[in-house]
Amino acid sequence: MISTERLFLLKLQDTEGTPETTLVGTDVFEADPGSKIDPDPSKTPIKLVAGKRDQEATVIGRKLANVTLNAPMRPWGASGSRVTPDWVRALQCAGFEKTENNGYWILKPTSTVRKDCTVWMYSGDLRSSYSLLQKVGNVKFDFTINMDFSGDVISKIELTGMGRYDGAPSNATQPSVSRNRTAVPALTGCTMQIGGDSDYRVLSLTITGNQPTEATVLPTHASGVGINEITDTELKISCKAYREITTTADPEASLYNLTTGALRVWWDADNDVKIDGGYMQIIDVKPSDENGVETWDIEGILQRNDLTIRCLGGTSSSSSSSSSSSSSSSSSSSASS
């Protein structure tokens, strides 16, 4: 089996807590290498005292699996195309509500709309019945957005979550899919503000959800696992920026003065992707070094969990909807449980 021929499918569940049983080629999630399903069932070893050292069969309990998906942040179509990128679909399972307006898909944290998804992974081989298929349902995610302005110069999102594991892998044939070929935009020519200040020269920036997930117990199901819950959200940022004189940028003054300002990163010539937080507060500043150049390591929080992510592709009218359009024009070859 060849790791570069691995295939992921992700589908939003129609009903929370009810995994999907049929996924098709249009449910493809174009993942970076390193994406994976990692089974993590509970295990209880049995050792009984009966006059000598002995060991009984270990009991396998709840069947959980961890899911990690990585993807570049990019639109999958122009304004008004209504083609939904993989990561936009998946973020709905990370506590975000999706709407569309003025040509953008719009994602905002929500406590009232709850979605989960089913994820399938084919451990690659394109010949008939030469893949191993693993399935995880009721998946909800934490998220990390990484923006590297000095290295890879692209933005990537990592989704880490857990769900109900379907059990041992089965032999399967990968469904036919079509790749999306939209170019990944570079993090150059960005519009940027850190705490309301546009003078920071940033080398890297990370936004994290800090969202623990808890799988509920359901003894009546063979897996012992019910729905997943996101139990908290604490939106945080960390960045590395070049040190400047205080008349240019002064993060320590912002720290001590409890200053609140906008977090903003818009990138590509057409602002393909926009990230906005209205109430960023710096909570820590440390001096650091980057290849001999002095820098600051800055940490902050997004008060009120105020975060808006926009990606081109939504309807170009001023109306708003929660559409879940197909992510590609892939083949409709299906795979059933």
Side-chain angles (χ1 to χ4, degrees):
M1 293 186 178
I2 302 170
S3 60
T4 54
E5 293 178 355
R6 183 176 290 179
L7 174 69
F8 288 88
L9 302 179
L10 181 149
K11 188 173 185 178
L12 299 179
Q13 296 180 181
D14 285 339
T15 303
E16 185 185 21
T18 303
E20 297 295 319
T21 57
T22 301
L23 280 72
V24 299
T26 52
D27 298 315
V28 61
F29 189 102
E30 293 188 17
D32 281 346
S35 301
K36 61 183 179 180
I37 287 176
D38 183 16
D40 187 24
S42 64
K43 301 171 283 292
T44 304
I46 304 298
K47 286 192 174 184
L48 302 176
V49 177
K52 65 176 182 180
R53 293 187 293 273
D54 204 353
Q55 182 170 259
E56 301 293 331
T58 296
V59 177
I60 304 300
R62 292 199 306 158
K63 300 178 184 68
L64 287 166
N66 300 309
V67 180
T68 301
L69 297 174
N70 299 286
M73 296 184 72
R74 58 170 171 165
W76 273 25
S79 172
S81 66
R82 306 195 76 245
V83 180
T84 313
D86 295 342
W87 59 272
V88 171
R89 287 189 294 130
L91 268 177
Q92 295 176 82
C93 304
F96 283 82
E97 182 178 13
K98 185 189 75 165
T99 58
E100 53 184 312
N101 204 342
N102 294 324
Y104 283 91
W105 300 112
I106 303 169
L107 293 155
K108 292 184 178 182
T110 177
S111 298
T112 58
V113 179
R114 301 188 180 190
K115 289 187 176 292
D116 51 10
C117 64
T118 300
V119 179
W120 292 14
M121 184 184 78
Y122 292 84
S123 294
D125 198 314
L126 302 182
R127 293 173 291 175
S128 178
S129 297
Y130 267 74
S131 283
L132 284 177
L133 172 60
Q134 293 174 282
K135 312 173 192 176
V136 186
N138 302 350
V139 179
K140 289 182 181 172
F141 293 110
D142 192 3
F143 72 93
T144 301
I145 297 172
N146 292 300
M147 288 168 267
D148 189 342
F149 302 92
S150 64
D152 292 337
V153 297
I154 65 173
S155 180
K156 293 187 176 183
I157 186 164
E158 180 181 54
L159 296 149
T160 55
M162 68 167 62
R164 175 194 291 176
Y165 191 48
D166 196 65
S170 59
N171 296 330
T173 301
Q174 291 191 18
S176 175
V177 301
S178 297
R179 291 289 306 278
N180 180 280
R181 301 296 180 181
T182 306
V184 178
L187 289 169
T188 57
C190 279
T191 299
M192 181 181 296
Q193 288 183 339
I194 302 296
D197 191 332
S198 58
D199 293 321
Y200 285 94
R201 295 190 295 156
V202 177
L203 286 77
S204 61
L205 173 66
T206 299
I207 303 172
T208 56
N210 292 290
Q211 299 183 161
T213 58
E214 176 67 24
T216 62
V217 175
L218 186 61
T220 56
H221 191 272
S223 68
V225 178
I227 64 172
N228 266 2
E229 294 284 7
I230 296 172
T231 59
D232 198 6
T233 300
E234 296 181 357
L235 298 176
K236 294 183 178 180
I237 75 106
S238 60
C239 72
K240 184 181 288 288
Y242 290 116
R243 296 188 76 180
E244 308 279 5
I245 59 173
T246 57
T247 53
T248 301
D250 194 348
E252 288 197 50
S254 297
L255 168 67
Y256 300 133
N257 294 332
L258 306 181
T259 302
T260 299
L263 169 73
R264 172 176 292 180
V265 188
W266 297 3
W267 65 88
D268 202 48
D270 298 320
N271 292 327
D272 288 351
V273 182
K274 299 181 178 182
I275 295 178
D276 289 281
Y279 304 93
M280 181 200 155
Q281 176 190 356
I282 292 174
I283 60 171
D284 196 17
V285 180
K286 288 185 171 60
S288 58
D289 182 280
E290 183 74 12
N291 295 324
V293 181
E294 290 188 330
T295 54
W296 284 306
D297 288 340
I298 301 171
E299 294 184 11
I301 60 172
L302 294 178
Q303 295 180 13
R304 313 181 196 183
N305 283 339
D306 185 285
L307 178 65
T308 301
I309 302 172
R310 296 177 178 86
C311 178
L312 277 181
T315 179
S316 56
S317 71
S318 59
S319 62
S320 178
S321 74
S322 58
S323 167
S324 297
S325 305
S326 173
S327 61
S328 74
S329 58
S330 310
S331 163
S332 61
S333 300
S334 64
S336 300
S337 64

